[in-house]
Each structure stands twice: as structure tokens, then as C-alpha cells.
Amino acid sequence: MQPRLLLEQLYRVAVRRALPAETLAAHLPGIPKGRTLVVGAGKAAGAMAHAFEAAWPADAPVSGLVVTRYGHTPPRPAGLPMRIEIIEAAHPVPDEASLAAALRIRGLTEGLTHDDLVVCLISGGGSALLTLPVAGLDLADKQRINHALLESGADIREMNCVRKHLSRIKGGQLAAACWPAQVVTLAISDVPGDDVSVIASGPTVEDATSCADALAILSRYGIPVPGPVRDALATGALETPKPGDTRFGRNRVSVIATPGESLQAAAQAARAQGIETLIVSDAIEGESRDVGRVHAALARQARKDAPHRPGPLLLLSGGETTVTVMPLPAGVSRGRGGRAGEFCMGLAQALQGAPGIWALAADTDGIDGIEDNAGAFVAPDTLARGLLAGLALDDHLERHDAYGYFSAIGDLFITGPTHTNVNDFRAILVAQE
């Protein structure tokens, strides 16, 4: 099989392993004495709602509402009655629809009893899609702060710590509002380490971080908040429910898909084709371009060791890298692209056309940042084709313009929304000498 087709096939295997239709039914709770309410948020929320509707007994009443990203609602399976409403909102920066969704979901939790069951369908992207600012913040403030966090280089734990303490629904506050009903959370992990308190800012999970932590992160990255909100953080007035809170005693969380499981599925598929495969890690973090350079060093070493192997070697990795957007010189415009494309530029820059090495980096939700591509390919002739097209990779890297670079040489990887999200997928194929 051609290297590019092989890498694409392995990506699709990894994505399929994380689809709610493949995983959700095994984690269903029992039918309660009272009513069943389904709520949720995330890029996979629409597909999770469909999977729940298909698996929940037809004679067991259920109602609810989930919110997903614009364009991420999958087609409804033929013959499947709609019992859970699906609405759409903005990601990665929230909009009015995000606020409206949070208000509606919060309203649905009113009047629940001990006999009721709330099922929360949570996946990556829920932080932006479920927005309910604390007093003293309006939507414009939340948008500004969220945008600043995304460009600051803060990791996902730092960003979500801030989001929790500036929200009335994140950091366990949604589950607290459901008490005394039982809350069962079914989550798809998009975070390194699969920490359920970080996925979508943990709306149904107790929060071990503090107001002081959030304030320190805001200060570290120079992100201002209105004075009254800063004062409320300083006094602990915006604290979230903590571990040991009795309102969470009956609650349960099941992670139904993880980055590690998807990488294992891809590795199994590659090994079935006789390709030696190494999973480097499913939890790699760091600056995207730097992670690309480290992977280039690993690939070069593997290429050097090729005579000692009977066949090609595949390196797989996942996690969540970051892109720090620095001020550009006057007259230089910022480009387009996400962290997968930035990784590919760093990888290609460090490989310098090394022979026998091909790669694909892509986001498993099908969208790299806010563009229409999932990621990009890198090949031994990437730099040469870029030069023929009149492109300088260093210039595109300085401007964070992965989309412009890889589009011009035909190496964007476009899938459309996949209706799941277990974060970064990276595959590097190293051929024999």
C-alpha cells in the first residue's frame, strides 16, 4: 500500500474505535424509578445522543438536550425516533447559541428528585459549547478570555481551570444542580491522561483546582478579567464543588473512548499488515512545532536503524499540543492553521527532506483548529514541492500558516467532521534503507 493511503487508513481505524455507536451501549445505566433526562455537550454530543437513543429501551421514556459544534450533527440513522434534541453552537470561542444552550440545559435540571436519572454525554469541545458566565462577566468577556487562553500557550488543564472558575455550570456545577438525582456521565476523552475533571471542563465532576489556581494562571499569561471578578477569585467566592462533596455520592463516570484505545486500534491494524509498530505515547503535550521536531529526531534514528529491521516501522502518538501565537512584525499577517498543521511544519523543517519518511498528523474530530482540514501529510519531497510552488516553510511557520503551505502543495488532509474526538493522531512511517 502507498504510504499516504496507509496513514489515512490507520487514521480512520483510530477514529472508528472512538465512535459512540461502537462504544456507548456497553456503558448504559439501569432504568430509574423516575424520569430519565439526557444532557450533554461536545463535538461528539450529536453522535452520542443518537447512540443513546438507539441503545435505550424503546419503552423507557427519555428526553433531553445536547449541544454540539456547528456542522457536527451527524445524519440521523434511518428509523431512529428523536427523543433527545440536538442544537449547535460555536467552537472554540463561544457565541450566543453557547449561552442559550447552557441556560436551557441548566433549566432542565430544575425539580429533579432522588428517583430521577440524569445522563450526561460529555466530549471535547464542551467547554466552549456550554457557556454560563459568573456574575460580572458577559459573553463578550468570556469570548475575549477564551480567545486569549487559546493563543497563550496554556495547556488544557490550565485553560479549563480558568474556565471552571469563571462559569456557573463547569467544574462539577452541572451535577450539583442535578442533586438529588443520580448523575451518570458517559465521556469521550480528548485530554492527556484521560482526567475526567478536565474533559469539557468537567461539568459533572468534582474540581480539585481552586480560585487561587485560576487567578495564578490568568496572571501568568497576562490575561485581564474585570475587577469584581478578580476580587471574587481572590476571596474564593467563585469556588467549585470539591472532592468529597456529598451531592456526588451516587454519581458515576464512565470513559467510553480514549486516545490510547484509538492508537492501539491503529497499531493492531498496522501490525496485521506486517508493519512493526511503536506507540510513543498517547499523552504528548508541548509546543506543536517543537513536538514535531522531536518526532523528526525519532524518525531519523529509526531510519538509521532500518538495516536491523525486517521491514518498515510505524511510530504512533497522541495527546494535545499547543500553539503559542506571538506578536508578528509590522506588516506581517498571520496565516491559517491549527496545531496538527503546525506539528507537520515543525516535522518537515527538522526532517529536511530525509528519505523514506512519511507522516500524517490530524485531529480526530476532523477539524484542525477552525479550518476545514483535519491535518496534513508530510513526505520526503514536501520541502522540494514547496520550493517549486515558491513557498518558504520558515516563513509559513513564523506566521502559523500551515493551511496556506500544505494547501498549496496538495497535502491537506480533509475528512469533514468525524463525530467523535480523542484528540491528536500522529503516524510516522519509516521505510527500510
Side-chain angles (χ1 to χ4, degrees), residues 156-167 169-176 195-214 217 233 236 238-245 247-248:
I156 189 63
R157 294 176 188 84
E158 292 174 315
M159 287 193 283
N160 284 0
C161 173
V162 172
R163 289 164 171 164
K164 290 175 185 181
H165 291 90
L166 299 182
S167 171
I169 201 166
K170 300 181 176 71
Q173 295 178 85
L174 176 58
D195 184 346
V196 293
S197 71
V198 179
I199 302 168
S201 298
T204 60
V205 182
E206 307 100 306
D207 177 31
T209 69
S210 68
C211 284
D213 295 329
I217 292 164
L233 288 172
L238 300 181
E239 207 49 271
T240 48
K242 297 296 174 244
D245 191 310
R247 293 171 295 179
F248 293 76

Side-chain angles (χ1 to χ4, degrees), residues 11-12 15 19-20 47 72 363-367 415-421:
Y11 169 87
R12 296 191 185 281
V15 167
L19 291 176
H72 282 244
D363 198 307
T364 53
D365 69 357
I367 303 296
T415 65
T418 64
H419 312 301
T420 190
N421 179 23

Side-chain angles (χ1 to χ4, degrees), residues 108-194:
L108 290 174
T109 66
E110 296 177 0
L112 293 167
T113 72
H114 186 273
D115 291 333
D116 296 332
L117 169 69
V118 179
V119 178
C120 291
L121 306 177
I122 300 299
S123 57
S127 292
L129 296 166
L130 206 59
T131 292
L132 195 57
V134 297
L137 282 183
D138 59 21
L139 179 60
D141 291 323
K142 287 283 284 188
Q143 291 172 326
R144 174 184 57 77
I145 293 167
N146 207 55
H147 192 269
L149 283 167
L150 289 167
E151 295 196 344
S152 69
D155 65 34
I156 189 63
R157 294 176 188 84
E158 292 174 315
M159 287 193 283
N160 284 0
C161 173
V162 172
R163 289 164 171 164
K164 290 175 185 181
H165 291 90
L166 299 182
S167 171
R168 290 182 283 144
I169 201 166
K170 300 181 176 71
Q173 295 178 85
L174 176 58
C178 294
W179 188 84
Q182 181 187 17
V183 176
V184 172
T185 301
L186 305 181
I188 294 177
S189 173
D190 70 326
V191 300
D194 306 326

Side-chain angles (χ1 to χ4, degrees), residues 371-428:
E371 304 302 337
D372 60 2
N373 66 311
F377 292 97
V378 173
D381 62 348
T382 291
L383 294 183
R385 286 185 289 117
L387 289 174
L388 285 175
L391 308 177
L393 179 62
D394 290 355
D395 168 66
H396 284 262
L397 192 56
E398 179 186 13
R399 297 188 294 109
H400 306 288
D401 188 29
Y403 193 95
Y405 187 85
F406 291 107
S407 176
I409 61 174
D411 280 350
L412 289 180
F413 179 50
I414 299 175
T415 65
T418 64
H419 312 301
T420 190
N421 179 23
V422 287
N423 240 322
D424 301 342
F425 172 89
R426 296 180 287 268
I428 302 176

